[in-house]
Structures are given as C-alpha cells and as structure tokens.
Amino acid sequence: MKKILKNLALLLVFSLSFQQGFAKSNIIQLKGSDTILNLSQALTEQYMKQNKVRISVVGGGSGIGIAALLNKTTDIALASRSIKDKEIKIAKENGIDVQETILGFDGITIIVNKNNKIKNLDSITLGKIFRGEIKNWKELGGNDSPIIVLSRDSSSGTHEFFKEHIIRENNPKGTQEYGEKTLYMPSNEAIKKEVAKNGIAIGYIGMGYMDDSVKAISIDNISASSKNVLDKTYPIARAVYWYSDKNSSPEVQKLISFALSSEGQKIVNTEGFVPLK
C-alpha cells in the first residue's frame, strides 16, 4: 500500500509539473476560418522568424474557431464573418471580453468552369441559382445542362455571409436556404478543384484563392477586384477578422499588432486579400 501511495504521489507531482510547464509555454493557438487560414499562416510564420514564440494555426471554419475562443481552447479565432450577438453574450458569461481585429477585406468570388460561357450574373439571379430556383444553364443563356451548385459547409463563415447577403437578399428576417441539391464542400480549395474539372458547376471562394484554373464571373457587372472590394462597390465584399480576448497575453497582443503593421498588411496583400489601407 505504501508503495502504491508513493507512486500516486510521484504521478501527481509529474502531472502538476507538466501542467505548469504547459501553462508557461509560449505557444499561441489560432483556429477557425478556412478562408483566411493561409493568410494567418503566412502572418504567423513571418512573426515567428522575428520572435521567440511558437504558434499553432489550424482551420475548421469560422464557427469552430469562435466556439474554441468561447471555451478558451484557442487564443485567436479566425473568422470570415462577424461574431454574433449571442456569441458575445456567451463570451461575457465565460469571462471573455471579445476583441475584434479586422485584418483586411475579401470579395467572395463566384467561379465557374473556364469553358462556361457566362460572364456576369446579377445578385438576384445568383440568389435564385443557389436557392435551387434556377436549375439549368440554358435559363441563363448557357448550354442545356443542369447547374451543379457548390457551397461551403455550415461551419464556414463564408457560408453564413453568402446566405445572408445573396440567398436571403440582405433581409435579416429572411428564411430562404440553400437549395436541397446543393453540394457542400469542406474548403475553398475543394470548391475550386471541383469547378475546374466540372463544366456545369458554380461555386464561391475567397478572392485569395482565385487562380487561372477557374473563371471568375462579375456580379451586377462588377468584378471582385481589390479596388471594388475596398470601395465596397462589389456586392459580396466583407471584412475578415481575428477575434481574441482583450485580456489575452502580451505575446498575443504583439502578434495582433504585427498583423496590423505595415509589414503585416503587405502580407495581407500578398496573400490575395485587400489590406486596410
């Protein structure tokens, strides 16, 4: 019995030492939006080159990131939508004073296959496509083919923003949903790859993921350019965020300051997003 108690005591000491060591470690955790995952990785990689700190960055979606912030399992939540009132309420109940940091701006880019003839859609028609009300490309002046609609999954902030502004036509009391045949994809890259190989698909991605493997179409005759996103003439433009606790560690605050610095904002631009200025 004495031997067992001694072993238990040693185990307890080891456990406490491990916890204390972990608590004192300088690992900064970031989690959330797939849309700004690459951007956040680029920012943190540069920051780590200049500072003795370890940083972990993982995706999962804006909702996942914000939930992690609320239950105190991440230092910074990556989000491509603004935090909701009910989430702020939960944060306060958990002793978290939410700090919102706008990293830059993004234009949700509507993409089709490079062989698709369509070059422009108006916002109302776009909503009808994603609600499943327009089902064939011939209704839009294209080929006689069904439209395959691709969307991000429900954990995505882009999913939420697109639903609010396009599917529900900016009506906060709207109840419209994505069409029942919508295919939900786990990432921007997944949507882009599917559109690139599927001649009848349509989807949306963050502008930072756009390349020549797919074709971007204008919305209301306005392209998703940096200028049009910054001056808010592009109809599906939005801010992208880091959310944290105002009472977070000095290291977390230093990282946020770096992201907002001229050096950090150059990285925002390099990664395909629109910097604050």
Side-chain angles (χ1 to χ4, degrees):
M1 179 61 72
K2 288 183 179 179
K3 186 175 181 181
I4 293 173
L5 290 174
K6 182 178 180 181
N7 288 338
L8 286 173
L10 288 171
L11 180 62
L12 179 60
V13 170
F14 175 80
S15 177
L16 288 173
S17 298
F18 177 83
Q19 291 176 18
Q20 289 169 359
F22 182 80
K24 291 178 181 178
S25 70
N26 56 351
I27 299 177
I28 299 175
Q29 305 279 353
L30 288 82
K31 186 173 188 177
S33 170
D34 170 75
T35 298
I36 60 169
L37 179 61
N38 289 351
L39 167 58
S40 298
Q41 288 174 333
L43 285 166
T44 54
E45 284 170 8
Q46 184 59 34
Y47 185 76
M48 283 190 289
K49 289 178 182 178
Q50 303 171 9
N51 298 272
K52 293 182 179 180
V53 61
R54 289 180 293 166
I55 303 175
S56 169
V57 186
V58 295
S62 299
I64 299 296
I66 291 174
L69 178 67
L70 302 187
N71 62 34
K72 300 182 180 181
T73 57
T74 193
D75 296 296
I76 296 175
L78 317 178
S80 56
R81 65 162 173 86
S82 58
I83 193 168
K84 299 175 182 178
D85 290 341
K86 63 181 180 182
E87 291 168 334
I88 293 176
K89 182 180 178 182
I90 294 171
K92 289 180 178 178
E93 291 172 352
N94 292 343
I96 299 168
D97 189 1
V98 174
Q99 173 176 279
E100 179 181 272
T101 302
I102 296 177
L103 282 186
F105 301 96
D106 178 33
I108 298 178
T109 307
I110 307 303
I111 58 171
V112 294
N113 187 272
K114 292 176 74 172
N115 295 320
N116 194 309
K117 299 175 183 178
I118 303 300
K119 296 181 179 179
N120 177 74
L121 292 169
D122 63 75
S123 299
I124 299 301
T125 298
L126 186 62
K128 290 179 180 179
I129 293 170
F130 277 81
R131 290 195 298 268
E133 296 166 10
I134 295 177
K135 304 177 186 296
N136 196 297
W137 285 109
K138 69 179 180 180
E139 299 177 64
L140 306 170
N143 296 329
D144 184 5
S145 303
I147 301 173
I148 303 300
V149 177
L150 307 176
S151 166
R152 289 296 312 284
D153 56 43
S154 59
S155 66
S156 162
T158 309
H159 171 107
E160 290 286 335
F161 187 92
F162 192 85
K163 179 166 67 175
E164 177 184 346
H165 292 273
I166 296 299
I167 292 176
R168 295 182 176 174
E169 300 176 353
N170 290 307
N171 178 7
K173 295 183 179 180
T175 58
Q176 301 100 314
E177 293 291 340
Y178 288 87
E180 61 179 17
K181 292 187 177 181
T182 301
L183 300 179
Y184 296 100
M185 311 295 280
S187 67
N188 287 272
E189 283 292 340
I191 290 178
K192 185 173 67 176
K193 288 180 180 178
E194 181 61 28
V195 170
K197 67 181 182 181
N198 190 331
I200 58 175
I202 186 171
Y204 55 76
I205 57 175
M207 64 189 298
Y209 288 82
M210 185 65 198
D211 61 33
D212 61 6
S213 68
V214 293
K215 183 173 82 173
I217 60 176
S218 300
I219 303 301
D220 299 331
N221 292 306
I222 303 170
S223 63
S225 67
S226 295
K227 177 183 178 299
N228 294 336
V229 168
L230 191 59
D231 65 19
K232 299 181 181 179
T233 56
Y234 183 66
I236 331 175
R238 44 129 183 225
V240 289
Y241 309 89
W242 278 1
Y243 285 104
S244 57
D245 188 341
K246 288 181 181 177
N247 299 312
S248 57
S249 71
E251 280 298 341
V252 172
Q253 296 298 333
K254 287 177 185 177
L255 173 59
I256 293 170
S257 295
F258 172 77
L260 298 177
S261 70
S262 58
E263 184 178 2
Q265 288 295 294
K266 285 180 182 178
I267 295 173
V268 171
N269 185 56
T270 300
E271 290 298 314
F273 294 89
V274 181
L276 297 173
K277 295 180 181 180

